[in-house]
Amino acid sequence: SVTKLSSGINAEYGGLSFEQSETQMAMWAMMAAPLYMSNDLRTLTQWQKDILMNQEVIAVDQDPLGKQGRRVYQDDKKHYEYWSRELADGSYAVVMYRRDSNGLPKPYTATFKQLNLPFKSASVRDLFKHMDMGVYSGKITATLPPSGSCKMFRLTPVNEELDNNLTA
C-alpha cells in the first residue's frame, strides 16, 4: 500500500497543521507503507522537513520485521484511538491519536494491556521530540491538543519477563 502525504502538509496553503502533519507521518510509519510526496520538496519549511526526515519515525516504518501496526483501542464517544506495532528488536511503536477538534489539550492514558504489549515495564522514547521519557510501568499518559494530533512513542521492555496474562 502507498501512503500519500499530500501537498496539504503545507499549512500556508490551507493544508495540514503542524500537529496534523506529525499525525500523518506517524500513521504512515505505523502502516509500514512507502512514502509518496506530491508537493514541491524545494519549497518546504524547516518544520515540514523535520517531520518528513525524522529518522526515528522512518526507522519504525522501515523496521525489518515488516509487521503493520494496527488500531488496538478506540473510544468513539471521546474521539481517540491507540495504535501499536511490534518491531524487530522486541520494542513496540505506539501512537496515541486524538481525532476531535474541540476544546483544549487533554491527557490520555493507555494501559499496556490496551496497547497489547507483552511486557509490564518499558523505557519510553518520544519519537517526534527525540527525547527519552523514562521507564513506565503498566501505562503511559500523554497530553494531546485537539484537531487530529498524536504522540508517537517507542516502548522498549526493561527486562525479559513477558506478561503471560496478556489478553486481547
Side-chain angles (χ1 to χ4, degrees):
S1 90
V2 174
T3 298
K4 178 180 177 183
L5 264 75
S6 70
S7 55
I9 197 167
N10 193 340
E12 180 180 349
Y13 299 105
L16 302 178
S17 70
F18 174 81
E19 290 83 7
Q20 291 166 338
S21 297
E22 280 188 338
T23 298
Q24 194 173 37
M25 188 72 174
M27 296 312 294
W28 160 74
M30 294 300 281
M31 296 299 145
L35 177 62
Y36 171 71
M37 293 296 305
S38 65
N39 48 335
D40 186 346
L41 299 177
R42 297 170 298 174
T43 62
L44 294 177
T45 65
Q46 188 59 51
W47 68 264
Q48 293 163 332
K49 290 177 187 176
D50 291 344
I51 291 171
L52 291 171
M53 298 184 340
N54 183 319
Q55 292 300 306
E56 292 183 82
V57 175
I58 292 170
V60 169
D61 176 72
Q62 297 177 351
D63 184 75
L65 187 60
K67 281 191 175 180
Q68 190 174 38
R70 65 185 190 101
R71 184 175 52 208
V72 292
Y73 185 82
Q74 179 177 358
D75 187 320
D76 286 327
K77 290 183 180 180
K78 295 183 181 176
H79 308 287
Y80 68 93
E81 54 194 59
Y82 303 143
W83 289 71
S84 184
R85 179 176 176 199
E86 183 181 5
L87 303 174
D89 67 356
S91 64
Y92 280 71
V94 168
V95 170
M96 300 171 75
Y97 171 43
R98 180 175 176 187
R99 298 185 322 252
D100 74 326
S101 59
N102 299 318
L104 299 171
K106 295 179 190 174
Y108 293 87
T109 299
T111 67
F112 285 14
K113 185 175 181 177
Q114 287 172 320
L115 297 170
N116 288 337
L117 302 180
F119 42 83
K120 296 178 182 178
S121 297
S123 175
V124 177
R125 182 163 178 85
D126 185 315
L127 300 186
F128 282 110
K129 290 185 178 178
H130 307 289
M131 187 167 68
D132 292 325
M133 307 298 293
V135 174
Y136 287 65
S137 295
K139 65 183 178 182
I140 182 170
T141 299
T143 299
L144 302 174
S147 192
S149 65
C150 81
K151 295 291 183 180
M152 185 175 192
F153 303 104
R154 185 178 195 120
L155 281 74
T156 304
V158 293
N159 61 36
E160 297 300 318
E161 178 187 344
L162 296 179
D163 186 353
N164 293 323
N165 297 320
L166 181 67
T167 58

